[in-house]
Amino acid sequence: MESAACIPEDESESCLTSADVELMRGDAEEVDNSSQRSRLCSVTESMRSAAPSHYISPPDLILPSHGDNTNSSTNKDAECEDLISKLTAIWTGIHTTPNQAFYRDICQSLAVLHLSEGDMWRAAFYLTETQAITFSHKANLISAQKLYKYNKEADRSKDLSLFQLPLKKSLQTFKEAVNSLPEDWVSCTIAVVTLPGSNIQQLYFVRLQAKQEPVVIQAVGVTNAEVIWNSLKDLLKSSKDSMALADKVMWWEKRRQIDESLKELLQSVQAQLGVSRTALLGCYIDKKCRQIVEKHTDKLMKKFKEMNISISRSLLYMLVNGASKVSSTELEAFLKRKYSSMSDELISKFSALIIAGQDVYIDTRSPVVMCLDKWAHGFCWESLECLSYSPVTRMPSIYSIQSYLKEFSSRGDSIFTNGAYTENTYYILNPDNNLPATESLFKPILTRRETWDGIISTQPTAEQYKQGLSKHSLFLYLGHGSGQKFLKGRDLCHLDCNTVVMLMGCSSGAFDSRGDMEPAGIIQDYHIASCPTILACLWDVTDKDIDRYTQHIIKDGLSSDKDGLSLLDLIPSARKACKLQYLVGCASVVYGLPVLLYNSSETRVLYG
C-alpha cells in the first residue's frame, strides 16, 4: 500500500492569480478597485456555483457595486468584511452536515480572510474545521449505536466507553476544546490551504495551548506543499520497487540511496519551514525553564510596547520557546517580513534578544499532539531534526483530544491516567506463518514472559483478536499489514480498547485518500474504540529492519527495569536501531495520547 500522502486525481483549472491570493491574505499592494471587486465576486461565485442549491443561505452572494474606481483601503476592508459575512452565512447553513470539498473551501477562505484581519481565534477555528469532517460523523454514529445497545442491556454495571465529537461547533466550543489541554501540552494543526480555483498548496501551522491565544503562521518558505508530498510519494514508490530486486548487493545499494534521499528531503523541509517550525515545538518539561520563557516573553513584550510595535504575546512566546531551533538569520528574515518598516539594526537587536539565554534551558519537552489534514497525514513530521527527540503523537482534531481527555479522566481503570501494566500483554506473532525470521527472533522473547499470552504461526479468530484488545494492557501485532483481515473495522469500532497497541506491519498506520474524499484508515476505528495509544507504520517496511525497531522497543521499554517510560520516549533510539534509519526508522509514528508503561502491578498516576 502506498503512502497516504496522495494528490487529488482531478486538478481544477486555475481561476485565481497570485494577486487573488494576495488579496485574500490582505497583504497585497493596492490594485485597481474594480479589479478587486471583480476578483472577489469571482471567488464568491465559484463557491456559490460549487454548492448544492439548498446549501445557499442567503441566496444573494454577489458583492454590491462600489461606484467610482478608487484605491481606498476603506473599500478594500469593506469588501473583505462583506465577503466574510457572506461566507459565514454559507458556513452557518451547512456546518452540521457538510459536503466535504465545498465545506473545506469555505473554511479555508474564511480562515485566510480572518487572518488578514488579525483575528487569530477565528482563523484558527476555521483552519481546524477543515479536518476530520466525515470522521466526526462516523464517530458520533458509532457512539449512538453503542449507547442504544447499552441502554437495552440488563447489566449496566460496566462503564460505557464513548468517543463523541461536537456536531454543532462554534468559536465558544473551539475555545473550550483548546482550554481542555493540559497546561504544558501543545496541539499543532497542520493545514494545507488551496484557495478556490488555485492549484498552489500553502502550508499553515496552528499552535494551540490552553489559556493562550492561538498562533496561526504560514510556512512561507514552502512555495507549494504539493512538491513535498510528491517527493515523498516518489521515494516510497522507489522503495517498493527496490524490494523486488533479487541481487543482494543491488538491493542494499538502492535502498541506502533511497534512505539518504529521504534524509535529504527531511532536511530540506526543515529548512523551508524556517521560523514556522517553532509552532511544532512543545513546552519545556522543566518548570524553571518554562518560567524563564514566560519572564523573557514578558520582558520582550514590554520592549515592543515601548517601541509602539504590536505583536501577539502568544507569537512572541512561541518564538522564545523555540529560539534554540532556529538561526538568527531565519529569525531576522521573519521579523523583517512582519515589520517591513523596521530598520535592519532594530531587527537584529530584537532577534538577539529573543535568542538570548537559550543555553540555560534543558531541552526536554512536553507532548505535542499533531492534527493533520488530508495532505499532511502521510509525511513523517516527527522525524524532522527539530522534533527528533520530542514526544509527538497524532490525533484527528482538537475536539478528539478533548473527547479523549474527558473520557479517560472519568474512568478509574484508564491506562492513560494509571499507566499500562506491561505484564498484562497479548501478542500475535507471524499469523500467516510466512515470516520465519521474525518468528525466530521474537518467539523466545515473547514466550519467556510467563504472564504474557498470545498465539504464534496461527491466524487468530475475530474473538481472539477482540479479547487481545479488550482484556489486556498491551497488544503486539507482529505480522503483515494492520491485522484488519482478522478483525474488521466495523467490529473494532464497537470495542472498549483500553490498551496500548503496536501494529508493526506494512502501512498499518497509513490513510487512503482518493480525490476530494477525506482520508480513511484502520487507525480511525481504533480512535472510535477509545484506544489511548497506537504505534503503527505510515508506509511499507522490510521485515528484518522493522524487527530491529520492535526488538529495541520490547527490550528497552517492556523488558527492562525502566519504569515510567512511554512509547514516545523509546522511539528516537528505536529509529537508530534500524540499518535504514530514515526509510524504515521514520515509518513508525504514534497515534493517540502518551501512556506510560510500567513493569510492576503497582498503579502509578500519570495525569490526575
Side-chain angles (χ1 to χ4, degrees):
M1 183 176 180
E2 293 185 4
S3 163
C6 300
I7 304 301
E9 297 169 358
D10 300 324
E11 291 289 348
S12 302
E13 289 186 7
S14 176
C15 66
L16 286 186
T17 66
S18 58
D20 293 317
V21 177
E22 292 301 311
L23 179 60
M24 294 288 279
R25 288 162 56 192
D27 58 2
E29 295 180 359
E30 293 293 334
V31 296
D32 182 80
N33 193 50
S34 63
S35 175
Q36 290 180 7
R37 291 202 310 275
S38 175
R39 297 185 195 286
L40 289 171
C41 286
S42 175
V43 172
T44 310
E45 277 297 287
S46 67
M47 291 184 174
R48 184 180 67 83
S49 61
S53 58
H54 63 281
Y55 283 166
I56 304 301
S57 174
D60 178 22
L61 296 178
I62 304 298
L63 288 170
S65 172
H66 287 275
D68 296 336
N69 294 340
T70 67
N71 291 322
S72 166
S73 61
T74 302
N75 283 345
K76 179 181 174 180
D77 293 341
E79 288 181 336
C80 184
E81 291 174 6
D82 196 29
L83 183 54
I84 287 176
S85 176
K86 294 177 187 301
L87 294 178
T88 302
I90 300 175
W91 180 89
T92 303
I94 70 172
H95 81 280
T96 55
T97 54
N99 168 283
Q100 297 171 45
F102 178 64
Y103 186 71
R104 192 162 51 240
D105 285 345
I106 292 287
C107 290
Q108 287 182 354
S109 297
L110 281 167
V112 175
L113 287 165
H114 281 297
L115 185 60
S116 73
E117 298 216 322
D119 190 338
M120 290 295 170
W121 274 109
R122 284 184 171 80
F125 168 65
Y126 284 114
L127 279 178
T128 58
E129 277 293 280
T130 64
Q131 300 177 333
I133 300 168
T134 53
F135 170 73
S136 298
H137 288 268
K138 177 182 177 180
N140 286 329
L141 176 62
I142 299 297
S143 293
Q145 293 172 349
K146 284 184 177 181
L147 184 60
Y148 177 78
K149 183 179 179 180
Y150 180 79
N151 287 334
K152 291 181 68 176
E153 294 176 352
D155 181 15
R156 302 182 194 171
S157 58
K158 186 178 179 181
D159 290 337
L160 177 64
S161 173
L162 291 178
F163 182 77
Q164 294 178 302
L165 302 171
L167 283 180
K168 289 189 175 181
K169 300 171 188 174
S170 65
L171 188 59
Q172 182 58 36
T173 60
F174 175 62
K175 289 181 177 181
E176 290 171 0
V178 173
N179 287 328
S180 71
L181 294 169
E183 67 173 11
D184 60 337
W185 283 27
V186 169
S187 172
C188 183
T189 292
I190 301 182
V192 176
V193 173
T194 305
L195 294 176
S198 172
N199 58 3
I200 301 297
Q201 293 189 353
Q202 301 172 350
L203 191 62
Y204 283 83
F205 297 145
V206 181
R207 191 177 193 274
L208 303 173
Q209 196 172 346
K211 299 178 182 178
Q212 289 195 26
E213 182 184 53
V215 176
V216 181
I217 185 170
Q218 182 187 357
V220 294
V222 180
T223 54
N224 189 352
E226 186 178 14
V227 175
I228 298 173
W229 324 138
N230 283 342
S231 297
L232 178 61
K233 189 176 180 180
D234 290 343
L235 287 175
L236 296 182
K237 184 181 184 303
S238 297
S239 173
K240 198 167 186 177
D241 292 343
S242 70
M243 293 179 186
L245 292 173
D247 185 273
K248 189 173 182 179
V249 174
M250 290 181 62
W251 190 93
W252 274 109
E253 181 180 350
K254 181 64 176 176
R255 292 189 63 76
R256 286 194 178 103
Q257 288 175 358
I258 301 169
D259 186 66
E260 183 65 25
S261 295
L262 180 54
K263 176 184 177 181
E264 291 172 359
L265 176 61
L266 284 164
Q267 291 172 339
S268 173
V269 170
Q270 168 143 317
Q272 291 176 56
L273 295 182
V275 167
S276 65
R277 63 177 173 265
T278 59
L280 302 171
L281 301 173
C283 301
Y284 290 102
I285 288 179
D286 186 81
K287 192 173 182 179
K288 289 183 179 179
C289 288
R290 291 205 305 273
Q291 289 174 346
I292 292 173
V293 172
E294 291 281 355
K295 291 179 180 179
H296 196 46
T297 301
D298 290 336
K299 181 180 178 181
L300 287 174
M301 280 295 295
K302 185 177 180 180
K303 288 184 178 293
F304 270 86
K305 189 174 182 180
E306 290 172 353
M307 297 290 296
N308 199 27
I309 299 172
S310 176
I311 188 171
S312 159
R313 187 188 185 281
S314 296
L315 174 60
L316 191 54
Y317 178 92
M318 182 187 83
L319 296 176
V320 174
N321 181 69
S324 63
K325 302 297 183 181
V326 297
S327 68
S328 58
T329 302
E330 290 173 322
L331 192 51
E332 288 175 15
F334 171 79
L335 292 173
K336 188 64 178 177
R337 283 194 304 271
K338 187 171 180 62
Y339 304 104
S340 57
S341 61
M342 191 183 292
S343 68
D344 291 343
E345 182 181 356
L346 199 53
I347 289 285
S348 297
K349 177 182 177 181
F350 276 116
S351 174
L353 287 172
I354 290 171
I355 293 175
Q358 291 298 314
D359 57 335
V360 303
Y361 298 153
I362 303 171
D363 199 13
T364 53
R365 297 181 183 262
S366 297
V368 174
V369 186
M370 288 187 177
C371 302
L372 308 172
D373 76 0
K374 64 174 291 180
W375 307 112
H377 262 291
F379 192 74
C380 46
W381 301 97
E382 297 87 340
S383 297
L384 292 173
E385 185 182 355
C386 61
L387 290 174
S388 56
Y389 289 93
S390 295
V392 181
T393 68
R394 300 178 174 209
M395 284 289 283
S397 67
I398 183 65
Y399 300 104
S400 63
I401 303 172
Q402 180 189 32
S403 178
Y404 259 30
L405 292 171
K406 182 179 179 181
E407 181 187 342
F408 296 155
S409 63
S410 65
R411 53 185 296 178
D413 65 340
S414 169
I415 64 170
F416 173 72
T417 52
N418 299 322
Y421 174 39
T422 61
E423 288 300 299
N424 183 22
T425 293
Y426 189 85
Y427 56 83
I428 296 175
L429 173 61
N430 189 21
D432 293 311
N433 198 23
N434 57 4
L435 294 172
T438 300
E439 182 175 330
S440 176
L441 175 64
F442 286 107
K443 185 175 180 179
I445 297 173
L446 300 177
T447 55
R448 77 165 60 109
R449 302 293 292 266
E450 295 180 359
T451 62
W452 288 20
D453 189 18
I455 55 176
I456 301 173
S457 302
T458 305
Q459 292 192 354
T461 64
E463 188 58 33
Q464 285 176 312
Y465 212 101
K466 288 179 182 179
Q467 291 294 314
L469 289 172
S470 58
K471 302 295 183 182
H472 297 81
S473 297
L474 184 67
F475 178 88
L476 302 176
Y477 175 80
L478 307 176
H480 293 295
S482 64
Q484 187 175 6
K485 68 178 182 180
F486 305 119
L487 183 65
K488 301 300 182 184
R490 60 178 177 270
D491 297 319
L492 171 59
C493 285
H494 289 271
L495 291 181
D496 177 13
C497 188
N498 186 30
T499 310
V500 172
V501 173
M502 293 174 58
L503 306 174
M504 305 313 298
C506 287
S507 299
S508 53
F511 284 73
D512 186 25
S513 180
R514 299 179 182 180
D516 282 334
M517 299 297 291
E518 282 204 309
I522 192 68
I523 298 300
Q524 293 177 334
D525 298 318
Y526 277 100
H527 285 318
I528 295 173
S530 298
C531 181
T533 300
I534 313 104
L535 175 65
C537 297
L538 286 176
W539 55 74
D540 287 359
V541 291
T542 50
D543 55 349
K544 290 183 180 179
D545 225 11
I546 198 65
D547 287 348
R548 295 184 186 96
Y549 183 104
T550 308
Q551 183 184 24
H552 181 88
I553 294 284
I554 293 175
K555 284 191 172 183
D556 258 33
L558 311 183
S559 305
S560 68
D561 296 330
K562 299 176 183 177
D563 264 351
L565 296 175
S566 76
L567 289 178
L568 303 178
D569 298 317
L570 303 170
I571 284 176
S573 53
R575 288 194 192 113
K576 293 183 177 180
C578 301
K579 287 189 176 181
L580 302 178
Q581 295 183 22
Y582 295 90
L583 189 55
V584 176
C586 295
S588 295
V589 297
V590 174
Y591 296 90
L593 301 180
V595 172
L596 297 191
L597 306 173
Y598 294 103
N599 295 301
S600 65
S601 57
E602 179 185 353
T603 299
R604 314 287 180 87
V605 177
L606 172 56
Y607 304 107

